[in-house]
Amino acid sequence: MSILRTLDSDEFAKLIRIDQVVPKTRYCNYLLKQLQYRLTDSKPELNPGAVLAAIRELEGGISCGTKEAKEYKRKPLAGLWHKHYIEPGIGSALKNIKNALQRSSPMFSSDEVDPWAASGEMTQEILNMGIVERKRRHQYTGEWLIFAKYKDENYYLCIANHDTGDHYIRSKIDQYCMSEFSWLSRVLCGKSCA
């Protein structure tokens, strides 16, 4: 068993140095537990530094090369925001290559592309417009760091994948984050509570 699994939240926070990026009062313990689990028990492992880079950017630091933060407009996540962070492994790279190809060539706008017929054009497109260019233009996509804005500050709640359902994300926020941030229910309720 990895020694990292035995660390409590404070020890893990100290290890990854999250408090150097954002004060303890502005991130949820659930986020720490997710990072700890993804580092020790998942494949591919997640480097917490990728999430910290996204937080650092949101806190006014250097860009991590991903898309700008965006507010959720539809329930059940309306009122929250998400920022992409770069997931390790080939999956994230392939998602970005596919996005670049679909935007640059009609040949790739369908999921039913014949890979043999497309291989020459695909190679050229990857060389001309691949991952590096998407990062340079801050169009790189990744998985989500979900946060709330309250009194002109960001409060970091959790991470999620693109294929994680919004209702599941909301249920975890309700279960783990509401008790840490008493104002969060008002943010999630939004204008419908007024």
Side-chain angles (χ1 to χ4, degrees):
M1 175 164 79
S2 168
I3 188 78
L4 294 175
R5 282 191 220 160
T6 65
L7 299 177
D8 67 25
S9 293
D10 289 336
E11 292 169 328
F12 186 71
K14 191 175 192 175
L15 177 72
I16 66 170
R17 299 182 176 140
I18 191 170
D19 294 333
Q20 293 179 7
V21 180
V22 64
K24 181 176 177 47
T25 56
R26 291 201 289 118
Y27 61 84
C28 187
N29 278 322
Y30 179 56
L31 174 62
L32 285 179
K33 287 299 179 191
Q34 285 184 297
L35 294 175
Q36 189 173 12
Y37 171 78
R38 292 288 310 277
L39 179 62
T40 60
D41 293 330
S42 73
K43 302 291 182 224
E45 295 147 351
L46 171 64
N47 176 354
V51 175
L52 294 179
I55 292 173
R56 191 174 289 113
E57 178 180 331
L58 290 166
E59 294 297 311
I62 299 169
S63 171
C64 64
T66 61
K67 295 178 180 181
E68 294 292 318
K70 186 174 179 184
E71 185 176 9
Y72 288 102
K73 298 295 184 187
R74 294 186 312 237
K75 290 184 177 187
L77 299 176
L80 298 179
W81 292 70
H82 69 279
K83 169 74 177 146
H84 289 94
Y85 67 89
I86 299 172
E87 185 91 347
I90 192 72
S92 181
L94 290 175
K95 188 182 305 179
N96 280 282
I97 290 169
K98 180 181 176 186
N99 288 346
L101 293 174
Q102 286 177 336
R103 286 186 177 91
S104 67
S105 175
M107 179 180 196
F108 300 107
S109 61
S110 167
D111 286 336
E112 300 175 16
V113 174
D114 176 6
W116 294 108
S119 63
E121 188 172 340
M122 186 182 298
T123 301
Q124 189 62 41
E125 288 294 330
I126 290 170
L127 292 173
N128 291 338
M129 178 46 207
I131 297 170
V132 173
E133 182 63 17
R134 285 182 63 81
K135 278 186 79 172
R136 187 186 67 74
R137 292 192 289 150
H138 306 286
Q139 293 178 333
Y140 202 87
T141 192
E143 303 306 342
W144 296 332
L145 166 65
I146 299 170
F147 64 101
K149 292 186 176 195
Y150 182 68
K151 293 187 177 181
D152 298 321
E153 293 189 304
N154 298 326
Y155 290 79
Y156 303 96
L157 306 175
C158 63
I159 55 174
N161 296 331
H162 279 277
D163 58 355
T164 305
D166 290 355
H167 289 282
Y168 180 81
I169 295 168
R170 175 61 189 267
S171 73
K172 294 302 181 185
I173 290 170
D174 289 348
Q175 183 178 2
Y176 296 111
C177 303
M178 291 286 199
S179 62
E180 291 188 52
F181 304 123
S182 60
W183 48 264
L184 187 55
S185 61
R186 291 190 304 277
V187 169
L188 288 163
C189 187
K191 294 174 184 167
S192 64
C193 291

